[in-house]
Amino acid sequence: MSQFIIPPPPRIAIPVAGRDALFPVRRIYCVGRNYAAHAREMGNDSREPPFFFQKPTDAVVASGSTIAYPPETRNLHHEVELVLGIGLGGADISPQEARRHVIGLAVGIDLTRRDLQNAAKEAGRPWECSKSFDASAPISALVEWPAGEPLPQSGRITLSVNGQRRQEGNLVEMTWSCTEIVAQLSRFFRLAPGDLIFTGTPAGVGPVVAGDWVQGEIEGVGVVTVLVN
Ligand code: MN
């Protein structure tokens, strides 16, 4: 058995709510523009098909952490999102079959360098520098979702900064439902246990500055909190 020539990178995982267990993270997928009101505030039509991007696995930040304000931006934005945890892999999953591939739910914040994203859009360049930077994926504990229970189709989703409400929406406003997103994503990528899917953000995105305390919450799912330093 060969030795590693450098220390192998640590296994990334998030806690499972209510018990002493971890969900190991394989990949992080994200959906762009999945709430009509947020799509409108970003200047887009509401009925476009979903599109996807990724964040690196080690962008995960545990709730309760302090993160550094990232370099190379003057406009860091918060986006609170429902996150799906995949427990059963597959490709070409139908919307009807998708439910059983999701083992749990979490609350995530898709941190975004909005200035770099706007510049990338204008230049037709990729989004990695605006979306996939270090510590760009704060996330709550994963709440296991009982197999017999449908995924939530409604529920308040909110984000506040220093206790002031910034984002407020409802899961019922999602353009593509949780099961439709799993189905669509699985046409492009074979999903595997450990994948996380950020499902898009409601209206009200805005800037975060150093010293801000950011808290996202989804009714019936959980809370994620980070301090930006
Ligand atoms: Mn997002």
Side-chain angles (χ1 to χ4, degrees):
M1 178 80 170
S2 299
Q3 298 283 314
F4 292 112
I5 64 162
I6 53 168
R11 158 77 72 194
I12 308 297
I14 61 174
V16 175
R19 64 190 185 99
D20 183 20
L22 296 171
F23 177 85
V25 182
R26 189 187 81 120
R27 292 183 184 169
I28 305 173
Y29 295 102
C30 304
V31 182
R33 292 180 210 128
N34 197 35
Y35 288 73
H38 173 62
R40 274 198 300 276
E41 79 182 349
M42 301 305 288
N44 296 287
D45 251 357
S46 59
R47 288 303 303 176
E48 284 175 34
F51 68 91
F52 304 100
F53 59 91
Q54 291 186 48
K55 289 176 184 272
T57 302
D58 65 356
V60 161
V61 174
S63 183
S65 302
T66 297
I67 61 173
Y69 191 91
E72 298 295 329
T73 183
R74 288 163 169 266
N75 197 17
L76 179 69
H77 269 206
H78 54 74
E79 299 188 356
V80 62
E81 311 202 0
L82 176 67
V83 181
L84 314 177
I86 296 296
L88 175 67
D92 288 318
I93 300 164
S94 72
Q96 294 72 30
E97 280 288 300
R99 168 63 192 90
R100 68 191 192 97
H101 293 265
V102 178
I103 194 173
L105 304 174
V107 187
I109 304 174
D110 168 16
L111 288 174
T112 302
R113 286 166 165 147
R114 192 71 73 200
D115 44 359
L116 298 196
Q117 188 196 28
N118 290 339
K121 283 178 179 173
E122 208 152 297
R125 289 188 179 151
W127 283 11
E128 274 79 1
C129 290
S130 62
K131 286 289 197 180
S132 311
F133 51 94
D134 295 339
S136 59
I139 188 165
S140 72
L142 186 88
V143 177
E144 291 172 287
W145 219 251
E149 211 168 297
L151 298 177
Q153 301 203 327
S154 65
R156 261 157 50 94
I157 174 169
T158 59
L159 181 137
S160 55
V161 176
N162 305 321
Q164 300 271 79
R165 182 61 47 82
R166 291 273 193 85
Q167 289 187 262
E168 175 147 19
N170 194 295
L171 301 179
V172 77
E173 299 156 14
M174 285 169 69
T175 306
W176 299 89
S177 71
C178 296
T179 51
E180 287 174 325
I181 287 168
V182 170
Q184 292 264 10
L185 182 62
S186 75
R187 293 164 57 181
F188 295 92
F189 303 95
R190 176 173 292 278
L191 302 182
D195 290 344
L196 293 174
I197 307 171
F198 281 59
T199 61
T201 197
V205 300
V208 173
V209 299
D212 279 348
W213 171 66
V214 183
Q215 179 161 297
E217 183 166 5
I218 300 175
E219 189 180 26
V221 179
V223 177
V224 58
T225 300
V226 282
L227 178 66
V228 178
N229 211 326

